[in-house]
Amino acid sequence: MTTPTTTPAKMRAVLYDACGGGAASLKHVEVPVPSAKKNEVLLKLQAATVNPLLPPNEKLAEREKKEPCISTAPFPAVTDVAGVIVDVGPGVNGLTAGDQVVAKLNSLNGGGLAEYAVAPANLTVKRPAKVSAAEGAGLPIAAGTALQALRSIGAKFDGTGKPLNVLITAASGGVGLYAVQLAKLANLHVTATCGARNMDLVKSLGADEVMDYRTPEGATLQSPSGRKYDGVVHCTVGVSWSSFQLLLSDAGRVIDVTPNLSAILTYVLHRVTFSKKRLVPQLLLSLNKADLEFLVGLLEEGKLKTVIDSRFPLSDAGKARQSSIDGHATGKIVVEMES
């Protein structure tokens, strides 16, 4: 274990004062700085991004009141962070105090709305100087989800993949914006849906066809060029399986990153009936260190961009959470830790 740099005994943090109440229940407190245990690193945080824990457009403000119960700790479940390592625990190799890093914290504990946090070493990667803390903090869940979904429909990023046709719904959201860019890097033909105000942005990031989901044409989800979709990265709610079924190629898949019970039941039905066309709920993110390094590398090379919707200081963390609950962000909502 390395000799830790000087850290204070206590830190500022934002946590819930009750189980329920959403953003209104957040409070600012001073708590002890955690310590790095085996296979962990202690980070002085520079930025964190707020991800919605629940699908949008389903009375999120009410449903988000249950969010604190998801975590076993009193911290909000904010896991995507960037910062500098100030100490490493036993068993950690390749990371040292002073390293600038991007990390995904433990999903059950969260803790990203604080001045310090412990992160698992196997989900902590070095951040190059070209990549800002805010850009890096946007990656773990949103870009990781997009990467996993695209791989599930057959996308490859080594130049060996087939030229597939893909539909990305809610393409101006946190996952959608990464999915558009990653799909183009995999040489896919991308059809995307989003609101009218974001169509130019989504087009600029590589989408071949962009539709306003509020128009009759956009609501059909049909490719303007008449293509059948080999895969769909479905990032919103309120669209039934039947809406996709006729739009898919013979073995097309819909990867639902915001699945509800109906999606899960449809998936089970497709499995037991050996359906070639399938809806696949992406229930868990299987992020690993290699994937996170890959994504950070793409940022460094300028092949991937983190679109930032808004920035808040830690003192305004409640506003950041409320913005996430409202569900209208274009890209990532960033909380930056004041020095």
Side-chain angles (χ1 to χ4, degrees):
M1 181 173 179
T2 62
T3 301
T5 58
T6 302
T7 57
K10 291 190 175 184
M11 65 178 183
R12 291 179 302 144
V14 181
L15 49 75
Y16 282 102
D17 64 0
C19 188
S25 291
L26 292 175
K27 68 175 182 178
H28 295 257
V29 297
E30 279 198 353
V31 296
V33 173
S35 59
K37 298 179 177 62
K38 185 177 180 179
N39 298 323
E40 292 181 338
V41 294
L42 174 63
L43 307 180
K44 179 175 173 58
L45 298 183
Q46 297 166 325
T49 54
V50 179
N51 295 294
L53 296 181
L54 300 164
N57 305 322
E58 289 190 10
K59 298 183 179 179
L60 247 181
E62 290 299 318
R63 296 180 66 199
E64 187 103 352
K65 291 180 180 180
K66 301 178 181 178
E67 177 192 323
C69 302
I70 295 173
S71 175
T72 58
F75 298 100
V78 171
T79 62
D80 294 7
V81 301
V84 59
I85 295 177
V86 296
D87 191 23
V88 301
V92 175
N93 297 307
L95 296 169
T96 61
D99 286 346
Q100 301 281 342
V101 297
V102 173
K104 181 181 179 297
L105 307 182
N106 184 293
S107 297
L108 293 178
N109 297 331
L113 295 182
E115 292 179 303
Y116 293 84
V118 289
N122 65 350
L123 286 177
T124 301
V125 304
K126 294 180 181 179
R127 175 172 59 85
K130 287 184 178 180
V131 178
S132 73
E135 291 170 331
L139 291 176
I141 288 181
T145 296
L147 181 66
Q148 184 171 307
L150 288 166
R151 284 176 172 162
S152 296
I153 63 176
K156 296 184 181 298
F157 298 89
D158 59 2
T160 64
K162 298 178 181 178
L164 305 174
N165 299 314
V166 62
L167 169 67
I168 300 170
T169 62
S172 59
V175 174
L177 288 169
Y178 285 125
V180 169
Q181 297 174 78
L182 290 169
K184 291 310 297 179
L185 287 173
N187 199 31
L188 308 189
H189 181 280
V190 176
T191 303
T193 66
C194 62
R197 69 186 177 93
N198 293 318
M199 291 177 68
D200 288 343
L201 169 63
V202 173
K203 186 78 172 178
S204 73
L205 293 176
D208 300 285
E209 303 172 324
V210 184
M211 300 182 290
D212 178 358
Y213 74 93
R214 293 187 180 92
T215 65
E217 295 78 13
T220 68
L221 302 177
Q222 294 179 11
S223 166
S225 58
R227 287 173 165 81
K228 293 286 188 179
Y229 301 123
D230 300 299
V232 178
V233 180
H234 185 36
C235 305
T236 188
V237 296
V239 183
S240 66
W241 162 251
S242 61
S243 299
F244 296 113
Q245 193 168 6
L246 296 178
L247 305 179
L248 297 174
S249 61
D250 290 342
R253 291 189 171 196
V254 177
I255 310 301
D256 191 342
V257 305
T258 59
N260 55 20
L261 179 60
S262 176
I264 295 170
L265 293 176
T266 300
Y267 166 69
V268 172
L269 177 63
H270 290 169
R271 292 274 293 184
V272 300
T273 59
F274 302 100
S275 174
K276 290 185 177 180
K277 296 182 181 182
R278 289 188 181 184
L279 187 150
V280 180
Q282 188 165 299
L283 296 171
L284 296 173
L285 172 62
S286 300
L287 186 68
N288 57 50
K289 192 163 190 169
D291 286 345
L292 193 51
E293 288 176 334
F294 172 67
L295 293 166
V296 170
L298 291 178
L299 278 183
E300 182 185 21
E301 295 167 11
K303 296 179 180 179
L304 187 67
K305 178 181 179 181
T306 294
V307 177
I308 296 175
D309 175 85
S310 50
R311 300 171 185 255
F312 298 88
L314 182 60
S315 56
D316 283 339
K319 293 180 181 179
R321 172 54 76 193
Q322 188 59 53
S323 179
S324 176
I325 292 172
D326 291 342
H328 302 299
T330 300
K332 303 302 298 180
I333 299 168
V334 179
V335 175
E336 295 176 309
M337 317 311 164
E338 308 95 321
S339 58

